[in-house]
Amino acid sequence: MALLQEWRDYAYQYDDSTQEGQQFWLAYFSVEQGIYEKLLTNKDVVEEGTVEELAGKFETEVQLFVGFLDGINDSLKTPNPIEEMEKDTKVSLDIDFEKLYYNMVGCKAQWLYELEQWNDILTEERRKELYKEQKSSTTIVKGDKVGRNDPCPCGSGKKYKKCCGKNA
């Protein structure tokens, strides 16, 4: 079984509404924060190696590191093959920092997007722009409601009730 599936089977058994689940996720988030602090501090270094080597470098278990890789994969310039990953799979952490910040905001990971290391990577203004952009991307804006007797929005010139609203 690939490492990612093992991680998901293991981690998602912990319900964060239970004390045991809360302890597990707090411990994981602490490990995750430590890895991000190191990566953001050394922003010019692209970490590369096998999954096992990088887990050792970041002083964590392979299983927890796989969870980290799952979380960061969408924020990399070139995603890693996480679905088929094994301990000896070569991975690269070539981070797109703007995408990473944006994704952290989207996941509501305040403990990550408020790390002080971001000050040396993105300006405060840019972080505010990305924050606002991410938050507005999830806002649903409803258009004007078409009334029965209004012209049909399809452009036919008929009333809505006689055109596209017939079957509604």
Side-chain angles (χ1 to χ4, degrees):
M1 181 185 308
L3 290 176
L4 182 63
Q5 191 58 49
E6 286 177 22
W7 159 253
R8 288 178 177 168
D9 290 347
Y10 173 73
Y12 296 137
Q13 74 180 341
Y14 290 100
D15 181 354
D16 65 357
S17 65
T18 67
Q19 185 174 357
E20 182 185 26
Q22 289 173 1
Q23 289 174 343
F24 169 79
W25 286 108
L26 284 174
Y28 170 75
F29 293 144
S30 176
V31 167
E32 179 184 49
Q33 182 175 344
I35 295 171
Y36 276 118
E37 286 172 346
K38 290 175 184 174
L39 287 172
L40 297 176
T41 298
N42 300 312
K43 65 183 186 298
D44 298 324
V45 177
V46 175
E47 296 291 348
E48 294 181 318
T50 66
V51 173
E52 192 169 38
E53 289 168 351
L54 289 178
K57 182 171 186 169
F58 289 103
E59 301 170 357
T60 189
E61 302 169 28
V62 169
Q63 191 171 45
L64 293 179
F65 192 70
V66 169
F68 170 80
L69 289 172
D70 186 22
I72 197 173
N73 209 44
D74 290 340
S75 303
L76 300 175
K77 293 176 184 172
T78 305
N80 289 306
I82 61 170
E83 297 293 334
E84 309 84 48
M85 221 168 27
E86 298 296 338
K87 288 181 182 181
D88 59 349
T89 302
K90 291 256 186 206
V91 293
S92 172
L93 300 177
D94 192 5
I95 302 169
D96 178 334
F97 290 103
E98 288 194 356
K99 193 186 270 187
L100 177 62
Y101 188 85
Y102 180 92
N103 289 338
M104 285 176 170
V105 171
C107 291
K108 299 180 175 106
Q110 186 174 357
W111 67 96
L112 297 176
Y113 68 76
E114 288 186 351
L115 288 171
E116 66 180 51
Q117 287 85 350
W118 282 111
N119 297 332
D120 296 331
I121 298 171
L122 300 172
T123 64
E124 185 176 348
E125 182 181 287
R126 185 61 184 142
R127 285 180 300 200
K128 284 180 181 176
E129 288 171 3
L130 289 167
Y131 184 92
K132 187 176 179 182
E133 185 181 317
Q134 206 301 315
K135 291 298 183 182
S136 67
S137 74
T138 58
T139 304
I140 298 171
V141 179
K142 290 186 177 183
D144 293 335
K145 186 174 178 182
V146 180
R148 294 174 29 84
N149 292 314
D150 291 340
C152 191
C154 77
S156 67
K158 297 179 183 177
K159 287 185 177 184
Y160 179 68
K161 68 181 179 186
K162 296 283 188 180
C163 190
C164 294
K166 223 178 203 180
N167 299 323

